[in-house]
């Protein structure tokens, strides 16, 4: 190993995210660490992530404190070679050999970070982050996890960033281990493979020199012979108490004392930006219809009598109807894009990634079932339950939280009938399902009490007109009212 100090910079952890909040250090200055050992927990706009070290050696300096927001590409940790004695941190000095001595100037850090972000971030599978290889020096002690800082709950949604035609090489040179290029992968790729039971040894990397890319692992996950095998992630740190009151701070407009000031950052910052973009760019319209769900409830009750332990939930059946409806009305499973030159196009997809809103301790998140159109109601139910579990643990991957093409929102669990939902940008439509309650309903000319719910569809009027939106909504409603016949045709 080189005798020079290694400076590891905060990597792009997926989907082109530009910053992350440092939740907790897992090591301290003086610790002996090995390659791929987790060194810190950070929270991005997507999820909680453990960042592994790309180097073995002695921790020389930690560049940041818990609760601090760090930019991608800025120094995260400095590591001295194995056997070296870490020196006391020095004040930054503008010298030509600053990097080689382990001291990074502010100007260098900013320039390197900007280069890193420009060349590395991409949201369609081309994220190229060279760090982390098998093996390494003998492991040293690991500090116990400290209490976490406050986490603001929200619905993590981020628009994919346009991917370059080919992965770029130069910016990753400082984060790779010499001689190990073909085995080097990002921690996001490594975690994705581990969570889905994919062997990295069996993957031929499509990147330069055989580098394994995120798209390579995604292809292995979606392959029929490589079923997902989710791991049991460690329990996410508990949220800290609410922000303390700003004692003595009076609001000039109301004259009232300010009880708390909550910084908008991390997940909430990403959500605010995404929702604002949705409302600003999408000319949305809404259609809704009341639906008699009695037959669907009766059918599920009968199935439950026959098979009590693996009967799909109502949301899984509705999800099955939605995927069938999107095949008939594909305009709602698209994306509206505007090019840098002002040109516009509607992008269609060969497949459906069905997102669904899930309430967690961190707020409302939207994981997505990939290739949902290929799954039965029972398979959809299993995947919805799996994704809900990992989302609530804060361990859902950026791909699981940011790859949807259409969103299904069951807000009926909150006891409401309808909602004027904000479309999950950059998607073009969202279907909401209200609570199911007893209502008077006319059946065969006679009044009776039925189980009724309300379906609400918000859609982007740029991609289709009301006839298409109404046709899709009516199709899903008819499936709910006649589930046996609908499933027989699917």
């Amino acid at each position: 190993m080189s005798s020079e100090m290694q400076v590891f910079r905060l990597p792009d952890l997926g989907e082109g995210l530009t910053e992350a909040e440092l939740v907790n250090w897992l090591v301290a200055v003086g610790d002996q660490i090995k390659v791929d050992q987790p060194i810190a927990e950070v929270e991005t706009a997507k999820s909680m992530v453990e960042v592994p070290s790309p180097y073995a050696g002695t921790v020389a300096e930690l560049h940041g404190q818990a609760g601090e927001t760090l930019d991608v590409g800025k120094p995260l940790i400095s590591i001295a070679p194995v056997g070296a004695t870490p020196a006391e941190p020095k004040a930054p000095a503008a010298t030509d050999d600053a990097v080689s001595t382990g001291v990074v100037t502010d100007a260098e850090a900013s320039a390197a970070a900007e280069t890193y972000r420009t060349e590395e971030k991409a949201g369609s599978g081309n994220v190229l982050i060279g760090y982390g290889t098998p093996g390494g020096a003998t492991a040293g002690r690991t500090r116990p996890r400290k209490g976490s800082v406050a986490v603001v709950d929200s619905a993590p949604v981020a628009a994919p960033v346009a991917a370059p035609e080919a992965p770029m090489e130069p910016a990753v040179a400082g984060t790779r281990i010499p001689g190990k290029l073909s085995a080097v992968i990002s921690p996001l790729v490594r975690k994705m493979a581990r969570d889905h039971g994919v062997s990295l040894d069996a993957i031929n990397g499509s990147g330069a020199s055989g580098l394994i890319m995120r798209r390579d692992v995604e292809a292995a996950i979606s392959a029929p012979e490589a079923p997902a095998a989710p791991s049991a992630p460690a329990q996410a740190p508990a949220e800290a108490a609410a922000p303390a009151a700003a004692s003595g701070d009076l609001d000039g407009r109301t004259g009232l004392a300010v009880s708390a000031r909550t910084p908008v950052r991390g997940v909430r910052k990403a959500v605010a930006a995404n929702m604002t973009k949705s409302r600003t760019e999408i000319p949305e319209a809404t259609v809704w219809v009341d639906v008699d769900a009695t037959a669907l409830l009766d059918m599920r009750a009968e199935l439950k009598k026959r098979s009590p332990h693996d009967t799909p939930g109502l949301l899984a059946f509705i999800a099955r109807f939605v995927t069938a409806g999107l095949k008939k009305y594909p305009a709602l499973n698209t994306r509206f894009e505007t090019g840098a030159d002002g040109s516009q196009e509607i992008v269609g997809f060969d497949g459906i990634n069905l997102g669904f809103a899930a309430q967690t301790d961190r707020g409302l998140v939207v994981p997505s079932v990939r290739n949902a159109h290929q799954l039965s109601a029972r398979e959809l139910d299993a995947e919805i339950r799996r994704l809900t579990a990992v989302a609530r643990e804060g361990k859902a991957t950026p791909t699981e939280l940011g790859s949807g093409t259409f969103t299904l929102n069951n807000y009926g669990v909150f006891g409401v009938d309808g909602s004027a939902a904000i479309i999950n940008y950059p998607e073009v439509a969202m279907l909401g399902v209200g609570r199911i309650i007893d209502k008077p309903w006319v059946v065969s000319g006679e009044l009776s009490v039925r189980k009724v719910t309300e379906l609400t569809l918000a859609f982007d009027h740029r991609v289709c007109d009301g006839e298409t939106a109404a046709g899709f909504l009516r199709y899903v409603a008819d499936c709910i009212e006649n589930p046996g016949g609908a499933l027989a045709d699917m």
Side-chain angles (χ1 to χ4, degrees), residues 74-160:
K74 289 295 183 70
L76 178 65
I77 188 173
S78 295
I79 302 172
V82 177
T85 302
E88 292 295 326
K90 301 177 182 179
T95 60
D96 293 337
D97 60 345
V99 174
S100 64
T101 59
V103 179
V104 183
T105 67
D106 290 342
E108 282 182 309
S110 297
E114 183 60 31
T115 300
Y116 185 96
R117 286 193 294 268
T118 301
E119 298 187 353
E120 289 295 329
K121 60 184 180 181
S124 60
N126 288 331
V127 176
L128 179 58
I129 316 165
Y131 51 84
T133 63
T138 304
R141 64 184 179 91
T142 300
R143 293 177 63 86
R145 301 188 182 192
K146 303 175 183 177
S148 65
V149 298
V151 179
V152 182
D153 59 358
S154 61
V157 182

Side-chain angles (χ1 to χ4, degrees), residues 92-261:
T95 60
D96 293 337
D97 60 345
V99 174
S100 64
T101 59
V103 179
V104 183
T105 67
D106 290 342
E108 282 182 309
S110 297
E114 183 60 31
T115 300
Y116 185 96
R117 286 193 294 268
T118 301
E119 298 187 353
E120 289 295 329
K121 60 184 180 181
S124 60
N126 288 331
V127 176
L128 179 58
I129 316 165
Y131 51 84
T133 63
T138 304
R141 64 184 179 91
T142 300
R143 293 177 63 86
R145 301 188 182 192
K146 303 175 183 177
S148 65
V149 298
V151 179
V152 182
D153 59 358
S154 61
V157 182
V161 181
E165 292 184 1
M168 299 183 181
E169 284 282 340
V172 300
T175 57
R176 287 187 181 152
I177 298 178
K180 297 289 186 179
L181 179 59
S182 63
V184 175
I185 59 173
S186 79
L188 174 64
V189 173
R190 185 180 294 277
K191 182 179 185 301
M192 185 186 302
R194 182 173 66 251
D195 288 351
H196 290 83
V198 174
S199 173
L200 295 173
D201 294 335
I203 297 179
N204 293 322
S206 62
S209 301
L211 186 67
I212 298 176
M213 312 288 287
R214 175 155 47 124
R215 59 171 175 260
D216 301 324
V217 177
E218 289 178 343
I221 292 172
S222 60
E225 63 273 14
S231 63
Q235 182 65 35
E239 292 188 3
S247 178
D249 187 4
L250 294 179
D251 177 54
R253 178 177 177 274
T254 64
L256 298 175
V258 176
S259 62
R261 292 186 182 275

Side-chain angles (χ1 to χ4, degrees), residues 12 16 23 70 142 147 168 176 204 221 228 234 242 271 273 362 376 394-395 425 471 486:
D12 179 355
V23 176
L70 305 177
T142 300
M168 299 183 181
R176 287 187 181 152
N204 293 322
I221 292 172
V271 171
R362 300 176 65 243
S376 66
K395 298 299 183 180
Y425 186 93

Side-chain angles (χ1 to χ4, degrees), residues 23-83:
V23 176
N24 184 35
W25 283 111
L26 304 179
V27 296
V29 173
D31 283 357
Q32 295 293 320
I33 62 174
K34 64 178 182 178
V35 172
D36 283 344
Q37 178 178 330
I39 57 175
E41 287 181 321
V42 299
E43 183 179 19
T44 70
K46 294 290 186 179
S47 59
M48 195 83 71
V49 178
E50 285 187 347
V51 180
S53 170
Y55 309 116
T58 304
V59 177
E61 185 176 358
L62 305 177
H63 301 280
Q65 299 179 354
E68 184 179 347
T69 298
L70 305 177
D71 291 334
V72 167
K74 289 295 183 70
L76 178 65
I77 188 173
S78 295
I79 302 172
V82 177

Side-chain angles (χ1 to χ4, degrees), residues 120-468:
E120 289 295 329
K121 60 184 180 181
S124 60
N126 288 331
V127 176
L128 179 58
I129 316 165
Y131 51 84
T133 63
T138 304
R141 64 184 179 91
T142 300
R143 293 177 63 86
R145 301 188 182 192
K146 303 175 183 177
S148 65
V149 298
V151 179
V152 182
D153 59 358
S154 61
V157 182
V161 181
E165 292 184 1
M168 299 183 181
E169 284 282 340
V172 300
T175 57
R176 287 187 181 152
I177 298 178
K180 297 289 186 179
L181 179 59
S182 63
V184 175
I185 59 173
S186 79
L188 174 64
V189 173
R190 185 180 294 277
K191 182 179 185 301
M192 185 186 302
R194 182 173 66 251
D195 288 351
H196 290 83
V198 174
S199 173
L200 295 173
D201 294 335
I203 297 179
N204 293 322
S206 62
S209 301
L211 186 67
I212 298 176
M213 312 288 287
R214 175 155 47 124
R215 59 171 175 260
D216 301 324
V217 177
E218 289 178 343
I221 292 172
S222 60
E225 63 273 14
S231 63
Q235 182 65 35
E239 292 188 3
S247 178
D249 187 4
L250 294 179
D251 177 54
R253 178 177 177 274
T254 64
L256 298 175
V258 176
S259 62
R261 292 186 182 275
T262 304
V264 179
R265 60 190 183 191
V267 175
R268 175 56 62 187
K269 183 177 180 181
V271 171
N274 190 74
M275 295 298 99
T276 300
K277 194 167 188 177
S278 179
R279 280 295 195 205
T280 302
E281 294 190 10
I282 299 179
E284 66 185 39
T286 305
V287 290
W288 60 90
V289 63
D290 287 339
V291 182
D292 180 3
T294 306
L296 178 59
L297 290 171
D298 290 345
M299 183 190 75
R300 184 175 183 276
E302 184 62 30
L303 290 173
K304 197 168 184 63
K305 289 180 182 178
R306 301 177 186 175
S307 182
H309 303 297
D310 62 349
T311 302
L314 290 175
L315 187 63
F317 284 113
I318 296 175
R320 187 70 188 91
F321 301 150
V322 166
T323 57
L326 291 174
K327 290 181 181 179
K328 292 177 65 69
Y329 299 93
L332 297 172
N333 188 54
T334 60
R335 184 170 65 234
F336 191 95
E337 290 186 352
T338 301
D341 60 353
S343 61
Q344 296 178 328
E345 60 182 2
I346 297 173
V347 180
F349 303 106
D350 183 16
I352 300 166
N353 290 347
L354 184 63
F356 63 94
Q359 189 65 43
T360 74
D361 291 340
R362 300 176 65 243
L364 196 63
V365 300
V366 188
S368 60
V369 179
R370 297 174 67 81
N371 296 310
H373 58 290
Q374 298 176 351
L375 305 181
S376 66
R378 184 170 282 108
E379 291 169 332
L380 284 167
D381 184 72
E383 187 65 359
I384 288 172
R385 292 178 187 277
R386 184 190 73 81
L387 287 169
T388 299
V390 297
R392 286 176 176 168
E393 292 169 345
K395 298 299 183 180
T397 66
T399 299
E400 290 171 333
L401 292 175
S403 60
T405 60
F406 183 96
T407 295
L408 177 60
N409 187 359
N410 180 23
Y411 44 69
V413 296
F414 302 119
V416 298
D417 298 326
S419 170
I422 299 178
I423 295 173
N424 188 9
Y425 186 93
E427 298 168 16
V428 299
M430 173 186 289
L431 179 68
V433 183
R435 59 177 178 165
I436 299 176
I437 58 175
D438 291 339
K439 279 189 177 182
W441 198 262
V442 177
V443 180
S444 301
E446 294 185 358
L447 191 64
S448 63
V449 177
R450 307 288 285 183
K451 301 292 185 181
V452 178
T453 186
E454 181 181 281
L455 301 181
T456 305
L457 178 69
F459 67 98
D460 187 338
H461 224 314
R462 297 174 299 178
V463 303
C464 68
D465 297 324
E467 180 181 6
T468 299

